[in-house]
């Protein structure tokens, strides 16, 4: 087990992570999120605003941390997002799932995959065989090792960012890091 200080990112960002923004950006924000979590849905527009405000200077990464005990459809939604990601459509699926968060049953996930024009034979195979479940478990494990207990949890350049009093703190931290 990694012996880093809790509340620091234990698994560095790699090219296999789902990210927006340049890989060499001076600031990397990692979110551990749950696609069925209302707080994560609320945070999504703020993340888009953050990306617009700091275009070219920030990289945003999303990792799955489904809280299955309170969100029964979160793992299925994460699998659907990963299946879409395997076809180069992670971010459109991510957004669609948040937009339709109250409707994440398997047949609804399939409708979203069809709407995104995914290869449905591949999607069906991957969902039925839980092809992406191991990756999701790895995200959960790395989140747990990094001190994640709830969603959304954000890390800025590897250090946890408290957003319990709102996402303004995230903007302030990014601004401070860029100014340093």
């Amino acid at each position: 087990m990694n012996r880093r200080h809790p509340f620091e990112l234990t698994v560095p960002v790699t090219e296999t992570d789902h990210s927006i923004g340049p890989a060499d950006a001076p600031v990397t924000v990692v979110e551990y999120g749950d696609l069925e979590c209302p707080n994560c849905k609320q945070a999504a527009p703020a993340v888009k605003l953050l990306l617009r405000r700091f275009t070219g200077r920030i990289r945003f990464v999303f990792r799955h941390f489904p809280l299955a005990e309170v969100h029964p459809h979160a793992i299925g939604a994460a699998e659907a997002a990963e299946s879409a990601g395997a076809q180069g459509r992670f971010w459109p699926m991510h957004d669609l799932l948040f937009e339709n968060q109250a409707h994440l049953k398997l047949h609804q996930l399939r409708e979203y995959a069809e709407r995104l024009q995914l290869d449905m034979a591949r999607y069906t195979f991957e969902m039925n065989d839980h092809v992406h479940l191991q990756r999701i478990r790895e995200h959960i494990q790395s989140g747990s090792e990094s001190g994640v207990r709830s969603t959304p949890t954000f890390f800025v350049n590897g250090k946890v960012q408290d957003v319990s009093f709102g996402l303004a703190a995230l903007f302030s931290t990014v601004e401070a890091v860029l100014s340093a």
Side-chain angles (χ1 to χ4, degrees):
M1 185 170 143
N2 199 321
R3 295 273 177 225
R4 289 177 108 166
H5 188 270
F7 307 115
E8 286 185 7
L9 204 56
T10 58
V11 175
V13 172
T14 70
E15 67 282 345
T16 63
D17 279 298
H18 299 293
S19 68
I20 298 173
D24 62 349
V27 175
T28 298
V29 175
V30 176
E31 175 187 356
Y32 280 89
D34 173 334
L35 294 165
E36 197 174 4
C37 165
N39 294 333
C40 294
K41 179 181 178 172
Q42 281 185 319
V47 168
K48 285 188 189 293
L49 190 62
L50 187 76
L51 285 164
R52 273 197 305 275
R53 183 163 166 199
F54 300 109
T55 301
R57 299 183 293 157
I58 186 173
R59 179 183 192 191
F60 174 71
V61 172
F62 184 89
R63 290 180 177 171
H64 300 284
F65 200 82
L67 301 169
E69 59 282 355
V70 283
H71 301 132
H73 307 294
I75 290 176
E79 287 184 274
E82 286 300 317
S83 183
Q87 296 185 43
R89 307 285 288 154
F90 177 82
W91 293 108
M93 181 64 91
H94 168 276
D95 294 349
L96 203 49
L97 295 172
F98 276 138
E99 287 166 23
N100 297 283
Q101 193 177 62
H103 308 284
L104 298 177
K105 293 190 170 98
L106 287 176
H107 73 278
Q108 293 160 325
L109 298 174
R110 182 174 180 78
E111 289 170 16
Y112 307 142
E114 289 170 349
R115 196 181 310 175
L116 293 176
Q117 301 180 324
L118 298 184
D119 172 338
M120 293 309 296
R122 179 177 174 182
Y123 173 85
T124 301
F125 168 79
E126 290 176 355
M127 291 296 284
N128 288 344
D129 280 19
H130 304 284
V131 168
H132 302 288
L133 192 54
Q134 181 58 36
R135 177 184 173 107
I136 294 161
R137 287 184 177 137
E138 288 167 5
H139 285 187
I140 295 166
Q141 176 74 30
S142 72
S144 294
E145 289 174 4
S146 299
V148 175
R149 299 288 170 262
S150 62
T151 55
T153 295
F154 292 93
F155 292 82
V156 177
N157 286 356
K159 304 236 182 287
V160 76
Q161 174 61 57
D162 182 6
V163 294
S164 56
F165 297 107
L167 290 169
L170 186 60
F171 282 77
S172 298
T173 299
V174 169
E175 187 80 66
V177 172
L178 288 170
S179 298

